[in-house]
Amino acid sequence: MLELRRLDFGFAKARPILDGVSLALGQGEILGLSGPSGTGKSTLGRIVAGYLKPQKGEVLLDGTAPSAGHRGIQYIHQSSIFAVNPRWRLGRIIAEAWQPDDLTLDAIGVSRSWFDRYPHEISGGELQRVVLVRALGPETRFLVADEVSAMLDPITQVEIWSFLTERSRQGLGILAISHDAALLKRVSSRQLVLAKGQLRPVEG
């Protein structure tokens, strides 16, 4: 179980971005998170993954605070080019995390022929697949998917979310962050909206 308890986060004297935010995400569950631009959805995702620290509150994994760099929680955002070292070949980028088998590569649509290439030598959709492979090592239990398919063509979007939905059936918990309410309704079992620092459930 992944839990957020009464998280606060903000900058200086501005209105808090997060104000006492709490939620729980179980393994095998896809939870959709939407909200207007600038309300703190990505900030919340980065706190979940340990990239930011809340000013108050806590993130718990099975009742305890995960250590820094804990591989059980992974974060992916839409701009995959900023998530990789441009000087590394793709094979090295993936191997930094783990060594995926051919079944995993085929399921996500990653070719081993890409392994000798650099990030700028493949398309944005292909690089997003590489980043996804890297994030889904055997230790990963929860994934923060922050607009993970927003910049991809419709066919690639369907393929990636079909794969993620299947992984959720196998126990992967996913916090799916998106402006696309229709997408979240299709892929998630429940949806929340973040606005004015607060979470509320989506009705219907």
Side-chain angles (χ1 to χ4, degrees):
M1 176 71 72
L2 179 63
E3 297 177 88
L4 313 184
R5 294 185 179 176
R6 300 177 297 279
L7 298 185
D8 288 358
F9 189 89
F11 298 100
K13 296 182 179 180
R15 175 193 291 270
I17 296 173
L18 304 175
D19 186 9
V21 167
S22 297
L23 64 81
L25 174 63
Q27 287 196 244
E29 179 183 12
I30 302 178
L31 172 61
L33 177 63
S34 62
S37 296
T39 55
K41 300 184 300 298
S42 292
T43 297
L44 179 60
R46 289 177 177 274
I47 290 173
V48 171
Y51 293 157
L52 292 174
K53 290 185 177 182
Q55 291 163 339
K56 292 182 180 179
E58 55 189 349
V59 177
L60 301 176
L61 184 60
D62 295 335
T64 61
S67 58
H70 193 285
R71 290 193 174 186
I73 306 171
Q74 295 290 321
Y75 175 88
I76 301 178
H77 58 83
Q78 62 179 316
S79 301
S80 53
I81 192 64
F82 299 116
V84 298
N85 188 329
R87 296 184 177 86
W88 285 11
R89 297 181 191 272
L90 298 173
R92 181 181 178 186
I93 288 170
I94 295 172
E96 180 186 23
W98 70 302
Q99 294 286 352
D101 56 36
D102 288 338
L103 287 176
T104 301
L105 294 175
D106 290 345
I108 303 180
V110 171
S111 171
R112 287 192 183 275
S113 66
W114 302 350
F115 280 27
D116 289 331
R117 301 182 190 178
Y118 291 96
H120 69 274
E121 294 179 325
I122 62 174
S123 72
E126 290 169 341
L127 186 58
Q128 191 73 318
R129 294 172 189 260
V130 169
V131 171
L132 184 58
V133 166
R134 182 181 63 176
L136 292 179
E139 297 179 34
T140 302
R141 296 172 53 200
F142 293 93
L143 178 71
V144 180
D146 187 358
E147 297 285 6
V148 69
S149 61
M151 299 178 68
L152 306 179
D153 63 84
I155 292 176
T156 304
Q157 285 189 31
V158 170
E159 291 175 347
I160 284 181
W161 277 107
S162 293
F163 174 79
L164 289 176
T165 299
E166 179 58 31
R167 284 297 301 266
S168 76
R169 295 191 187 104
Q170 299 169 12
L172 180 70
I174 302 173
L175 178 61
I177 301 172
S178 179
H179 287 98
D180 189 339
L183 169 67
L184 293 180
K185 189 172 182 179
R186 286 197 306 273
V187 304
S188 60
S189 57
R190 59 189 175 104
Q191 301 91 47
L192 300 173
V193 174
L194 178 62
K196 296 182 180 179
Q198 302 284 324
L199 287 175
R200 61 173 176 83
V202 174
E203 300 297 333

mmCIF file of all heavy atoms in Angstrom, residues 16-50:
data_model
loop_
_atom_site.group_PDB
_atom_site.id
_atom_site.type_symbol
_atom_site.label_atom_id
_atom_site.label_comp_id
_atom_site.label_asym_id
_atom_site.label_seq_id
_atom_site.Cartn_x
_atom_site.Cartn_y
_atom_site.Cartn_z
ATOM 1 N N PRO A 16 -0.776 27.660 -0.715
ATOM 2 C CA PRO A 16 -0.164 26.329 -0.757
ATOM 3 C C PRO A 16 -0.573 25.552 -2.009
ATOM 4 O O PRO A 16 -1.743 25.574 -2.408
ATOM 5 C CB PRO A 16 -0.688 25.652 0.499
ATOM 6 C CG PRO A 16 -1.063 26.770 1.416
ATOM 7 C CD PRO A 16 -1.544 27.877 0.524
ATOM 8 N N ILE A 17 0.391 24.888 -2.637
ATOM 9 C CA ILE A 17 0.083 24.041 -3.785
ATOM 10 C C ILE A 17 -0.649 22.787 -3.315
ATOM 11 O O ILE A 17 -1.599 22.322 -3.953
ATOM 12 C CB ILE A 17 1.374 23.676 -4.537
ATOM 13 C CG1 ILE A 17 2.022 24.940 -5.112
ATOM 14 C CG2 ILE A 17 1.090 22.672 -5.652
ATOM 15 C CD1 ILE A 17 3.379 24.687 -5.725
ATOM 16 N N LEU A 18 -0.187 22.237 -2.197
ATOM 17 C CA LEU A 18 -0.838 21.088 -1.580
ATOM 18 C C LEU A 18 -1.158 21.457 -0.138
ATOM 19 O O LEU A 18 -0.298 21.963 0.576
ATOM 20 C CB LEU A 18 0.073 19.855 -1.610
ATOM 21 C CG LEU A 18 0.589 19.417 -2.974
ATOM 22 C CD1 LEU A 18 1.568 18.259 -2.828
ATOM 23 C CD2 LEU A 18 -0.557 19.027 -3.895
ATOM 24 N N ASP A 19 -2.377 21.197 0.293
ATOM 25 C CA ASP A 19 -2.821 21.617 1.618
ATOM 26 C C ASP A 19 -3.525 20.453 2.317
ATOM 27 O O ASP A 19 -4.725 20.247 2.182
ATOM 28 C CB ASP A 19 -3.766 22.818 1.473
ATOM 29 C CG ASP A 19 -4.162 23.416 2.806
ATOM 30 O OD1 ASP A 19 -3.589 23.021 3.841
ATOM 31 O OD2 ASP A 19 -5.059 24.287 2.812
ATOM 32 N N GLY A 20 -2.725 19.653 3.033
ATOM 33 C CA GLY A 20 -3.298 18.525 3.754
ATOM 34 C C GLY A 20 -3.781 17.401 2.865
ATOM 35 O O GLY A 20 -4.785 16.751 3.165
ATOM 36 N N VAL A 21 -3.058 17.136 1.783
ATOM 37 C CA VAL A 21 -3.482 16.127 0.805
ATOM 38 C C VAL A 21 -3.190 14.717 1.324
ATOM 39 O O VAL A 21 -2.081 14.418 1.759
ATOM 40 C CB VAL A 21 -2.755 16.347 -0.539
ATOM 41 C CG1 VAL A 21 -2.926 15.143 -1.451
ATOM 42 C CG2 VAL A 21 -3.283 17.609 -1.218
ATOM 43 N N SER A 22 -4.191 13.867 1.243
ATOM 44 C CA SER A 22 -4.048 12.458 1.634
ATOM 45 C C SER A 22 -4.684 11.575 0.572
ATOM 46 O O SER A 22 -5.698 11.936 -0.035
ATOM 47 C CB SER A 22 -4.733 12.190 2.981
ATOM 48 O OG SER A 22 -4.147 12.926 4.031
ATOM 49 N N LEU A 23 -4.073 10.422 0.342
ATOM 50 C CA LEU A 23 -4.676 9.412 -0.522
ATOM 51 C C LEU A 23 -3.991 8.076 -0.262
ATOM 52 O O LEU A 23 -2.920 8.019 0.340
ATOM 53 C CB LEU A 23 -4.594 9.786 -2.010
ATOM 54 C CG LEU A 23 -3.239 9.906 -2.709
ATOM 55 C CD1 LEU A 23 -2.673 8.543 -3.125
ATOM 56 C CD2 LEU A 23 -3.371 10.781 -3.946
ATOM 57 N N ALA A 24 -4.625 7.024 -0.730
ATOM 58 C CA ALA A 24 -4.064 5.677 -0.620
ATOM 59 C C ALA A 24 -4.191 4.990 -1.970
ATOM 60 O O ALA A 24 -5.219 5.114 -2.650
ATOM 61 C CB ALA A 24 -4.783 4.873 0.452
ATOM 62 N N LEU A 25 -3.130 4.289 -2.360
ATOM 63 C CA LEU A 25 -3.095 3.578 -3.635
ATOM 64 C C LEU A 25 -2.642 2.149 -3.372
ATOM 65 O O LEU A 25 -1.558 1.927 -2.822
ATOM 66 C CB LEU A 25 -2.139 4.276 -4.603
ATOM 67 C CG LEU A 25 -1.864 3.591 -5.948
ATOM 68 C CD1 LEU A 25 -3.145 3.480 -6.766
ATOM 69 C CD2 LEU A 25 -0.811 4.370 -6.731
ATOM 70 N N GLY A 26 -3.487 1.200 -3.739
ATOM 71 C CA GLY A 26 -3.155 -0.193 -3.532
ATOM 72 C C GLY A 26 -2.407 -0.784 -4.707
ATOM 73 O O GLY A 26 -2.488 -0.274 -5.835
ATOM 74 N N GLN A 27 -1.686 -1.875 -4.471
ATOM 75 C CA GLN A 27 -1.037 -2.574 -5.575
ATOM 76 C C GLN A 27 -2.104 -3.158 -6.492
ATOM 77 O O GLN A 27 -3.140 -3.652 -6.043
ATOM 78 C CB GLN A 27 -0.107 -3.660 -5.055
ATOM 79 C CG GLN A 27 1.156 -3.074 -4.437
ATOM 80 C CD GLN A 27 2.250 -4.113 -4.269
ATOM 81 O OE1 GLN A 27 2.646 -4.418 -3.164
ATOM 82 N NE2 GLN A 27 2.741 -4.634 -5.379
ATOM 83 N N GLY A 28 -1.870 -3.062 -7.785
ATOM 84 C CA GLY A 28 -2.838 -3.541 -8.751
ATOM 85 C C GLY A 28 -3.935 -2.545 -9.065
ATOM 86 O O GLY A 28 -4.858 -2.859 -9.820
ATOM 87 N N GLU A 29 -3.839 -1.342 -8.522
ATOM 88 C CA GLU A 29 -4.857 -0.309 -8.747
ATOM 89 C C GLU A 29 -4.296 0.792 -9.635
ATOM 90 O O GLU A 29 -3.126 1.160 -9.536
ATOM 91 C CB GLU A 29 -5.304 0.299 -7.419
ATOM 92 C CG GLU A 29 -6.344 1.404 -7.575
ATOM 93 C CD GLU A 29 -6.739 2.060 -6.266
ATOM 94 O OE1 GLU A 29 -6.051 1.832 -5.253
ATOM 95 O OE2 GLU A 29 -7.732 2.813 -6.270
ATOM 96 N N ILE A 30 -5.133 1.317 -10.529
ATOM 97 C CA ILE A 30 -4.798 2.509 -11.297
ATOM 98 C C ILE A 30 -5.685 3.640 -10.797
ATOM 99 O O ILE A 30 -6.911 3.571 -10.896
ATOM 100 C CB ILE A 30 -4.994 2.315 -12.805
ATOM 101 C CG1 ILE A 30 -4.146 1.151 -13.326
ATOM 102 C CG2 ILE A 30 -4.621 3.599 -13.549
ATOM 103 C CD1 ILE A 30 -4.325 0.873 -14.815
ATOM 104 N N LEU A 31 -5.060 4.660 -10.242
ATOM 105 C CA LEU A 31 -5.769 5.822 -9.701
ATOM 106 C C LEU A 31 -5.507 7.011 -10.608
ATOM 107 O O LEU A 31 -4.352 7.377 -10.856
ATOM 108 C CB LEU A 31 -5.282 6.122 -8.287
ATOM 109 C CG LEU A 31 -5.773 7.420 -7.632
ATOM 110 C CD1 LEU A 31 -7.296 7.415 -7.502
ATOM 111 C CD2 LEU A 31 -5.118 7.605 -6.263
ATOM 112 N N GLY A 32 -6.561 7.605 -11.143
ATOM 113 C CA GLY A 32 -6.430 8.747 -12.042
ATOM 114 C C GLY A 32 -6.423 10.061 -11.279
ATOM 115 O O GLY A 32 -7.226 10.259 -10.366
ATOM 116 N N LEU A 33 -5.521 10.965 -11.669
ATOM 117 C CA LEU A 33 -5.428 12.281 -11.046
ATOM 118 C C LEU A 33 -5.447 13.347 -12.131
ATOM 119 O O LEU A 33 -4.582 13.369 -13.008
ATOM 120 C CB LEU A 33 -4.143 12.409 -10.226
ATOM 121 C CG LEU A 33 -3.881 13.772 -9.576
ATOM 122 C CD1 LEU A 33 -4.972 14.116 -8.560
ATOM 123 C CD2 LEU A 33 -2.500 13.798 -8.915
ATOM 124 N N SER A 34 -6.441 14.227 -12.066
ATOM 125 C CA SER A 34 -6.558 15.322 -13.030
ATOM 126 C C SER A 34 -6.642 16.639 -12.288
ATOM 127 O O SER A 34 -6.593 16.689 -11.055
ATOM 128 C CB SER A 34 -7.796 15.120 -13.921
ATOM 129 O OG SER A 34 -8.990 15.144 -13.139
ATOM 130 N N GLY A 35 -6.774 17.731 -13.057
ATOM 131 C CA GLY A 35 -6.873 19.053 -12.465
ATOM 132 C C GLY A 35 -6.339 20.099 -13.416
ATOM 133 O O GLY A 35 -5.603 19.772 -14.350
ATOM 134 N N PRO A 36 -6.709 21.359 -13.210
ATOM 135 C CA PRO A 36 -6.223 22.432 -14.074
ATOM 136 C C PRO A 36 -4.696 22.540 -14.055
ATOM 137 O O PRO A 36 -4.041 22.090 -13.106
ATOM 138 C CB PRO A 36 -6.868 23.693 -13.456
ATOM 139 C CG PRO A 36 -8.024 23.194 -12.663
ATOM 140 C CD PRO A 36 -7.620 21.844 -12.157
ATOM 141 N N SER A 37 -4.142 23.128 -15.103
ATOM 142 C CA SER A 37 -2.696 23.338 -15.168
ATOM 143 C C SER A 37 -2.243 24.212 -14.005
ATOM 144 O O SER A 37 -2.932 25.163 -13.614
ATOM 145 C CB SER A 37 -2.317 24.010 -16.490
ATOM 146 O OG SER A 37 -2.626 23.179 -17.579
ATOM 147 N N GLY A 38 -1.099 23.875 -13.446
ATOM 148 C CA GLY A 38 -0.521 24.685 -12.384
ATOM 149 C C GLY A 38 -1.066 24.420 -10.999
ATOM 150 O O GLY A 38 -0.724 25.138 -10.052
ATOM 151 N N THR A 39 -1.889 23.387 -10.855
ATOM 152 C CA THR A 39 -2.473 23.121 -9.533
ATOM 153 C C THR A 39 -1.604 22.218 -8.664
ATOM 154 O O THR A 39 -1.933 22.020 -7.495
ATOM 155 C CB THR A 39 -3.875 22.494 -9.661
ATOM 156 O OG1 THR A 39 -3.786 21.314 -10.478
ATOM 157 C CG2 THR A 39 -4.852 23.467 -10.292
ATOM 158 N N GLY A 40 -0.541 21.641 -9.240
ATOM 159 C CA GLY A 40 0.355 20.853 -8.412
ATOM 160 C C GLY A 40 0.331 19.357 -8.644
ATOM 161 O O GLY A 40 0.858 18.596 -7.827
ATOM 162 N N LYS A 41 -0.250 18.921 -9.764
ATOM 163 C CA LYS A 41 -0.321 17.480 -10.024
ATOM 164 C C LYS A 41 1.082 16.873 -10.147
ATOM 165 O O LYS A 41 1.375 15.837 -9.555
ATOM 166 C CB LYS A 41 -1.121 17.212 -11.301
ATOM 167 C CG LYS A 41 -2.555 17.709 -11.271
ATOM 168 C CD LYS A 41 -3.318 17.325 -12.503
ATOM 169 C CE LYS A 41 -2.725 17.868 -13.789
ATOM 170 N NZ LYS A 41 -2.704 19.363 -13.829
ATOM 171 N N SER A 42 1.936 17.533 -10.930
ATOM 172 C CA SER A 42 3.302 17.016 -11.098
ATOM 173 C C SER A 42 4.094 17.132 -9.804
ATOM 174 O O SER A 42 4.913 16.262 -9.484
ATOM 175 C CB SER A 42 4.021 17.755 -12.230
ATOM 176 O OG SER A 42 3.441 17.441 -13.479
ATOM 177 N N THR A 43 3.856 18.205 -9.053
ATOM 178 C CA THR A 43 4.513 18.356 -7.752
ATOM 179 C C THR A 43 4.143 17.193 -6.839
ATOM 180 O O THR A 43 5.007 16.600 -6.180
ATOM 181 C CB THR A 43 4.096 19.686 -7.092
ATOM 182 O OG1 THR A 43 4.550 20.769 -7.911
ATOM 183 C CG2 THR A 43 4.701 19.820 -5.695
ATOM 184 N N LEU A 44 2.869 16.838 -6.832
ATOM 185 C CA LEU A 44 2.423 15.708 -6.022
ATOM 186 C C LEU A 44 3.104 14.419 -6.486
ATOM 187 O O LEU A 44 3.586 13.626 -5.673
ATOM 188 C CB LEU A 44 0.904 15.568 -6.112
ATOM 189 C CG LEU A 44 0.277 14.406 -5.328
ATOM 190 C CD1 LEU A 44 0.566 14.531 -3.842
ATOM 191 C CD2 LEU A 44 -1.219 14.339 -5.584
ATOM 192 N N GLY A 45 3.172 14.220 -7.799
ATOM 193 C CA GLY A 45 3.823 13.031 -8.328
ATOM 194 C C GLY A 45 5.284 12.950 -7.948
ATOM 195 O O GLY A 45 5.803 11.879 -7.615
ATOM 196 N N ARG A 46 5.966 14.079 -7.974
ATOM 197 C CA ARG A 46 7.390 14.096 -7.623
ATOM 198 C C ARG A 46 7.599 13.844 -6.129
ATOM 199 O O ARG A 46 8.601 13.242 -5.725
ATOM 200 C CB ARG A 46 8.005 15.433 -8.036
ATOM 201 C CG ARG A 46 8.140 15.570 -9.541
ATOM 202 C CD ARG A 46 8.686 16.930 -9.950
ATOM 203 N NE ARG A 46 8.862 17.005 -11.387
ATOM 204 C CZ ARG A 46 9.940 16.590 -12.044
ATOM 205 N NH1 ARG A 46 10.952 16.076 -11.362
ATOM 206 N NH2 ARG A 46 10.022 16.683 -13.353
ATOM 207 N N ILE A 47 6.675 14.300 -5.319
ATOM 208 C CA ILE A 47 6.757 13.997 -3.889
ATOM 209 C C ILE A 47 6.570 12.500 -3.660
ATOM 210 O O ILE A 47 7.292 11.873 -2.881
ATOM 211 C CB ILE A 47 5.714 14.816 -3.093
ATOM 212 C CG1 ILE A 47 6.116 16.302 -3.089
ATOM 213 C CG2 ILE A 47 5.595 14.297 -1.664
ATOM 214 C CD1 ILE A 47 5.069 17.218 -2.464
ATOM 215 N N VAL A 48 5.596 11.910 -4.341
ATOM 216 C CA VAL A 48 5.355 10.474 -4.213
ATOM 217 C C VAL A 48 6.621 9.685 -4.540
ATOM 218 O O VAL A 48 6.984 8.732 -3.847
ATOM 219 C CB VAL A 48 4.202 10.030 -5.140
ATOM 220 C CG1 VAL A 48 4.101 8.512 -5.181
ATOM 221 C CG2 VAL A 48 2.881 10.626 -4.683
ATOM 222 N N ALA A 49 7.323 10.108 -5.619
ATOM 223 C CA ALA A 49 8.503 9.382 -6.072
ATOM 224 C C ALA A 49 9.776 9.754 -5.317
ATOM 225 O O ALA A 49 10.832 9.180 -5.568
ATOM 226 C CB ALA A 49 8.705 9.632 -7.564
ATOM 227 N N GLY A 50 9.687 10.716 -4.392
ATOM 228 C CA GLY A 50 10.846 11.080 -3.589
ATOM 229 C C GLY A 50 11.735 12.134 -4.193
ATOM 230 O O GLY A 50 12.819 12.411 -3.670
#
